[in-house]
Every structure is written in C-alpha cells, then in structure tokens.
Amino acid sequence: MLLAAVLVLLVLGGAGTASAHAALSGTDPEDGAVLRTAPRHLTLTFTESVGFLDDSVRVLGPDGRRLRLGEAEHAEDADTARVNLPRGLDEGTYTVAWRVVSADSHPVSGAFTFSIGKPSPTPVAVDTGPTEDPATAALHKIARYLAYLGAALLIGTAAFIVVCRPEDPGVLRRPLLIGWWTLLGTTLALLVLRAPYETGEGPAAALDLEAFTRTLTGRPGLALLARLALLLLTATYLRRLGSAGKGRGAVSICGSAAGRDQPQWRRTLPPAFLATALALTWAASDHASAGIQVPLAMTSSVLHLLATAVWLGGLTALLITLYRAHPTPETVTRFSRLAFASVTVLVITGTYQSWRGLGDWDALTGTTYGRLLTLKLAAVVLLLAAAAVSRSWTARLAAVPEAVSHKVPQPAGGPPLPEPPPPPAPETNPRALRRSVLAEVAVGVIVLVITTVLTGTLPSRAEAEAAQAAPPTGGTVAVTVPFDVGTPGGTGKVELTLDPGRVGDNALQAVVFGPDGGLSTVPELRVSFTLPAQDIGPLDAGLKDQGGYWANSFVNLPLAGTWTMKITVRVSEIDQVSVERRIQIR
C-alpha cells in the first residue's frame, strides 16, 4: 500500500512545474513599461509575505550583463521586495529575474522587463534561473508525503493506546516505532533538501554549507528544527514509560503497569501536548500561516491534522490489533467514539479551510486547487462510507457480551428448573470488521496522497487576488510578414515586435529583410491599427527610421480586442505592397 501510494504521488505531482503560493501582484516599474528616465529602485509586490534568497532579484542590462545590486529588502510591508539600482543606466531594455520564498514555505519565481528611453531593437535572451529541479522536487514531495504518513502513524497509534486502552498494547510497538523513525528520517531529508528546493537546483546543492546555514534561519527551517526537538522529547517520554513498566506491553503510554495506575488526564496530557506541538510545526509553514485570518486558520490546521492522524493512524492500530490480538468490545467501542469525534472535527475544520482556500464556488470547478479539493471530498465520502460499515460491525461486536452474560434465575427451593435456551447472540463477523477497517485505511492513504498534492497547489483565493491586483498583462506580439511587390528584388519579410501587447502605450519595432535574408533598407514603412468591432481606426503607428530598423516607443492602443495590423512596405518610388495581420491586445 505504501509503495502504491508513492507511485500515485509521483503520477499526480511529479509532472509539470510546482505551483507556488505567493503570486506577484504588481511591479514598479510595471512589466513592459518604457520610462523616460532611469528609476532609482525596483519594487515587487506579492499577495503574501515573502522571504529572500541570496540572489532574489537579478537585473540584466540591454547587453545581457548583470547589474551589481545590493541585497533585496522589504519596502514597507513583508509582502514587498525592493532593490536599489545603480546610477547612469544606459538606454534600452532591462530584464528583471526574481525568486523568493512565500510565507507558506514554497518558492516562487518569474521575470519581467522595462525599458529606459526606448526598447532595445532585439531584447537579449537571458537565463532567469531554474523553476525547479525534477529530482529535487520529486524527492521533496516524497519526503513530505512520508512525513504526513509517519505523523499519522505515530500520533494515531499513541491516541489509540491512550484512549482505547487495548489489553495487549505490545502488538503496537512496531507501528509506533515505524511512525517515529519515518517522521525523523523525513524531517532530516526535508531539512537537507530545503536549500536546493528553494533555489531550484539539483540535490547536490544540499552540500552547500552556506545555503544550509541560511535554511536553518528561515521559517521552514526553524519549523523543521522544532519538529526534530519534539521527536527527541517524544522518544525520551516513550523510553521512560517503557522502562517504568517492563513486562507485558512495556511499549507504551498507558500499557505499562505504571501508566495504568495514573489518572486518565495525567496519561493523556503529555502525549496530547507533544502531538499538538508536532502538528503546529506543519501549520507554521503551510497555507495557514499566510493569507486571511491567520490565527484561526492555524488553529483549524492543527486540529485538522490531529483529527486526520487520530482517525487514520488509529485505524491502522485497530487493524493490527484485530489481526494480531483479540481486542475487547470495550476497546473497539472506545475507538468508534474516538473516530466519530475525529470525523466531526474534520468536517468543521475542512469546511472552514475549503472556504478559505476557494474564495467562491466557481473556483471549485474552474481552478486546479478546486478540482483537487473536489477529488479529495469524493475520497472522504468513500472513507465515511467505509467508516459507517465499520461502525455497524463495531456495534454488533459490542452487543455480544450483553447476550453472553445473560443470567437465568434460580428457584428458592425444590428441584432446579430446567435451563431455558440462551437468547440468540447478535450476529458478528470479525473478518467483516477487519475488511471494512482495511478499506478505511486504503482510502485514507489515497486521501493523504491528494492532501499532499493539494498543499503544493496555489489556493484559488490567492490566485484570484493576484489576478485582481496585477496590472493588465498581455504578451509580446511577434509577427513575421512576407511581402512581394511583383518586381525583381521586390520580395522579403518584415519582422515586427509589439511590446507588451496590452491596452495603453506599446513599443513597436520593425526590421525589414531582403530576398537574401540580410537587412534591407526601404524608403518607407507604415503600420496602422484598426479595431473593427468598435469601429476604431486606422491609427497610424508613426514609425520612424532609426537607421537599420523602424520604431516608435509610444503606440497607444486604447481598447482590448482583436486588432487588424496593416503593414505597408514601399521599396521604390512606385512599388509598394500592403499586408494585414490580426493580433490580440489584452
């Protein structure tokens, strides 16, 4: 089951780029802006607070060389990044490549351009850095999933021992240790992989001591260090209890003789504190730590994780007990009540977290986050159906002692009365209970897989906020138009670039190539724009000969829509040709 779950995780989460949780909502200067004077600094604004890496912001000049900048810092709020620019910047197009770490520990990167004076005729192709390394991303996702699995096994098994009080807790020693060691190993793996995961590099980058030191001082690194400390405390606590009650069931929290003599609240308080603190290390570095209503969201996240661990980990403990021991009806009944309470908490916290992540109902089917959430809800419905079946078998098993303990009244004197036939015992089938619990565990593993993928997906609310806050973006329009005026040497092509391809001012450059593929000089080149749907135009682009190419940095297109761009090339006093192309302006 574990191997199958990992394979499913790789299929669901291994393809494509990672979805980051902070989104860029604006820049100053804006993407594609053409400035008359050089700016003194760059400012980037995000939808949530962000942290910085060594090279969070890089600026490359028109010649492709990197500018020397100071370290990035917050402008006013924690959701901004600002760097100062050097003086005396040359005319041309500058490329800004950025990479930051969002408040929920996921890296996000991107790039934008701005120009000073006029755009460069041919923007320099630059490497903005890796989005993510496939090997690092796959290892990180597997470690995150196994960490959830280890936490569920450790917390759920401990809760089963404390609350349900099985007769022989010794059979649960192995899952308790497996959960602890799995969580310890995955926490160490996540700590080592943190630096290459943030920078988008391969696993070998984990050997960089400077990057590892930076990891230890960031919020995700501190949360992982806290998790390691809590695991050591947990190991010390379990070892102390085990040595205090050596003998039968010397594994555990309440299975030892010393543990059974303690009041219930004293047995419950220490493991409950450790479990809550462990869950808090997740809430402090995931979706709950950013966005709206952070205190309430973190509380909900902790309760949601604990309820999931108690239910699914407890199911595993119950399944092992059913196969390797003979649990009393009281033990099974106690777990049935515990599972019902866990489901209640899951429904309440899950509803709140779904509302917080979605924002509106349309996002349930219109976004990746919403579709994954729908899939998870369907899996949870299956899980509840399996739980209902298990609960019915539990009720029948609990009714058996009442039937067996039926006493027959005896007469006060005289010969004994004939013994009446015993009342029929309720029908029970331990195998059926084991099968239903096994089904619950299997579906629970699927729920954990979907949950892991969901935590790596941009919430719909954050996606909508970024779209609303961001300036209207289009995309650079690049068009190659061949022409033929019908005379010898009258063929060629015109390459046009319209940047940024959106409403407002745009920079238009055009280069003419002759029949041999080399640059060609023509007496005149005209470009006009028409928007037929709104009966606008033609608007002349006003291209000027710049000595080798034609350009105008301030071509204003007032409305979005499908524009008709008309290119007229004149190669002599009497020979010219006009060609039309349709372009999309956003």
Side-chain angles (χ1 to χ4, degrees):
M1 288 174 57
L2 178 60
L3 291 176
V6 171
L7 290 176
V8 172
L9 175 63
L10 290 175
V11 171
L12 290 178
T17 58
S19 298
H21 296 172
L24 184 67
S25 61
T27 62
D28 183 17
E30 293 185 0
D31 183 17
V34 180
L35 309 176
R36 298 185 184 275
T37 59
R40 298 294 303 274
H41 54 258
L42 295 174
T43 304
L44 292 78
T45 305
F46 299 88
T47 57
E48 63 181 50
S49 58
V50 295
F52 304 132
L53 305 173
D54 290 339
D55 289 329
S56 277
V57 181
R58 296 184 296 136
V59 181
L60 297 102
D63 57 358
R65 295 182 180 180
R66 181 174 175 180
L67 304 184
R68 292 188 177 183
L69 306 173
E71 293 186 0
E73 58 185 16
H74 296 298
E76 298 177 355
D77 301 320
D79 61 351
T80 60
R82 172 175 288 182
V83 293
N84 294 323
L85 295 174
R87 297 178 180 273
L89 295 180
D90 296 331
E91 187 178 80
T93 300
Y94 291 78
T95 300
V96 181
W98 53 268
R99 186 178 184 89
V100 295
V101 180
S102 59
D104 57 8
S105 78
H106 296 271
V108 54
S109 61
F112 67 94
T113 63
F114 69 93
S115 301
I116 300 174
K118 63 179 180 180
S120 301
T122 306
V124 177
V126 296
D127 180 12
T128 59
T131 301
E132 69 174 12
D133 180 79
T136 301
L139 291 174
H140 192 267
K141 289 174 183 176
I142 292 174
R144 284 174 53 224
Y145 170 70
L146 292 179
Y148 280 121
L149 195 64
L153 195 58
L154 175 63
I155 296 174
T157 303
F160 183 84
I161 295 172
V162 171
V163 178
C164 303
R165 303 193 292 277
E167 288 291 326
D168 184 11
V171 299
L172 299 177
R173 176 183 178 83
R174 179 172 295 180
L176 203 62
L177 292 178
I178 290 176
W180 188 88
W181 280 107
T182 300
L183 189 53
L184 178 67
T186 54
T187 302
L188 290 172
L190 289 170
L191 194 60
V192 171
L193 290 170
R194 186 69 211 173
Y197 175 69
E198 288 180 347
T199 58
E201 298 176 299
L207 302 177
D208 186 347
L209 183 59
E210 184 179 351
F212 183 73
T213 304
R214 185 186 67 241
T215 296
L216 299 181
T217 59
R219 181 191 293 186
L222 292 175
L224 292 172
L225 288 176
R227 192 179 303 170
L228 287 175
L230 289 169
L231 285 172
L232 294 179
L233 287 176
T234 302
T236 302
Y237 178 70
L238 293 177
R239 186 179 182 86
R240 180 176 63 83
L241 286 177
S243 61
K246 291 197 175 190
R248 183 184 176 205
V251 48
S252 71
I253 299 169
C254 75
S256 64
R260 290 182 183 276
D261 293 338
Q262 296 178 357
Q264 177 67 17
W265 69 268
R266 291 192 62 183
R267 295 196 302 265
T268 305
L269 187 59
F273 169 78
L274 290 172
T276 302
L278 280 172
L280 190 59
T281 63
W282 270 277
S285 58
D286 67 2
H287 292 164
S289 62
I292 62 173
Q293 303 174 350
V294 171
L296 181 59
M298 290 186 65
T299 303
S300 174
S301 179
V302 168
L303 293 176
H304 194 80
L305 181 58
L306 288 176
T308 302
V310 169
W311 188 13
L312 299 182
L315 277 173
T316 305
L318 176 61
L319 185 64
I320 293 173
T321 305
L322 286 170
Y323 273 96
R324 297 187 179 180
H326 299 284
T328 62
E330 291 79 7
T331 298
V332 180
T333 302
R334 291 185 192 114
F335 178 74
S336 180
R337 295 168 182 165
L338 180 64
F340 181 80
S342 300
V343 170
T344 302
V345 174
L346 281 173
V347 169
I348 296 174
T349 57
T351 301
Y352 168 73
Q353 292 179 188
S354 299
W355 167 82
R356 184 174 182 266
L358 282 175
D360 58 67
W361 289 110
D362 293 337
L364 199 61
T365 57
T367 62
T368 301
Y369 184 89
R371 288 187 288 270
L372 280 173
L373 183 60
T374 302
L375 184 61
K376 178 182 176 179
L377 292 176
V380 170
V381 169
L382 291 177
L383 193 58
L384 292 174
V389 175
S390 298
R391 190 171 176 84
S392 66
W393 284 112
T394 299
R396 298 183 185 184
L397 183 63
V400 171
E402 298 179 4
V404 174
S405 62
H406 176 75
K407 295 184 178 180
V408 179
Q410 299 293 328
L417 297 174
E419 184 175 342
E427 181 184 357
T428 60
N429 189 342
R431 290 185 178 180
L433 178 58
R434 287 197 293 264
R435 285 196 297 267
S436 63
V437 172
L438 181 59
E440 279 190 77
V441 174
V443 179
V445 169
I446 297 175
V447 171
L448 278 180
V449 172
I450 301 173
T451 300
T452 305
V453 179
L454 196 62
T455 58
T457 305
L458 179 66
S460 305
R461 183 186 293 272
E463 184 178 345
E465 289 175 353
Q468 292 174 0
T473 59
T476 300
V477 178
V479 180
T480 299
V481 181
F483 65 86
D484 184 356
V485 298
T487 60
T491 61
K493 63 181 179 181
V494 182
E495 291 187 355
L496 300 103
T497 303
L498 186 70
D499 185 41
R502 65 177 182 228
V503 171
D505 284 336
N506 290 262
L508 178 64
Q509 298 90 37
V511 181
V512 182
F513 295 90
D516 59 353
L519 291 177
S520 177
T521 302
V522 296
E524 186 179 12
L525 179 64
R526 298 193 307 271
V527 177
S528 63
F529 296 89
T530 304
L531 184 60
Q534 301 292 336
D535 196 23
I536 296 177
L539 306 177
D540 185 67
L543 292 180
K544 302 295 184 182
D545 188 356
Q546 304 295 327
Y549 70 97
W550 299 72
N552 183 5
S553 300
F554 303 99
V555 178
N556 186 273
L557 301 177
L559 295 175
T562 303
W563 289 74
T564 299
M565 181 170 62
K566 183 179 179 180
I567 305 100
T568 300
V569 183
R570 183 166 63 86
V571 298
S572 69
E573 293 297 330
I574 60 173
D575 298 313
Q576 70 176 33
V577 65
S578 296
V579 184
E580 292 185 352
R581 288 289 186 273
R582 292 190 177 186
I583 61 172
Q584 190 70 29
I585 299 298
R586 301 186 184 279

